[in-house]
Amino acid sequence: MREEILRETTTQFSTDLQETAAKEPFLAVLRELAQAYHAFSAYSAAHVRQLGLTPAQFDVIATLGNT
């Protein structure tokens, strides 16, 4: 669910940025950052699934590990 929302938001954000990138040069940089974030998120989610955990379960374990 969270990944789907992220994907939809990133796709819409990317589309919006493409339309205005020529007008605002910094938006091209934001587009690249959004794509990098999406790629990292997908890679991370795949790793968490390989561990047999849900993203929420992994978040709890990571939080407990940091305390």
Side-chain angles (χ1 to χ4, degrees):
M1 175 77 173
R2 183 170 66 172
E3 293 173 28
E4 183 178 321
I5 292 170
L6 175 63
R7 187 176 312 113
E8 290 173 9
T9 303
T10 304
T11 301
Q12 182 60 44
F13 184 67
S14 180
T15 302
D16 292 345
L17 286 176
Q18 287 175 343
E19 294 172 359
T20 58
K23 298 175 190 174
E24 302 288 342
F26 77 94
L27 291 179
V29 174
L30 288 178
R31 180 174 183 264
E32 294 297 323
L33 287 173
Q35 288 177 332
Y37 176 79
H38 178 70
F40 176 78
S41 179
Y43 177 81
S44 177
H47 179 69
V48 169
R49 281 193 301 273
Q50 286 179 347
L51 297 172
L53 300 171
T54 66
Q57 290 170 328
F58 183 82
D59 287 344
V60 169
I61 292 170
T63 300
L64 291 173
N66 287 331
T67 56

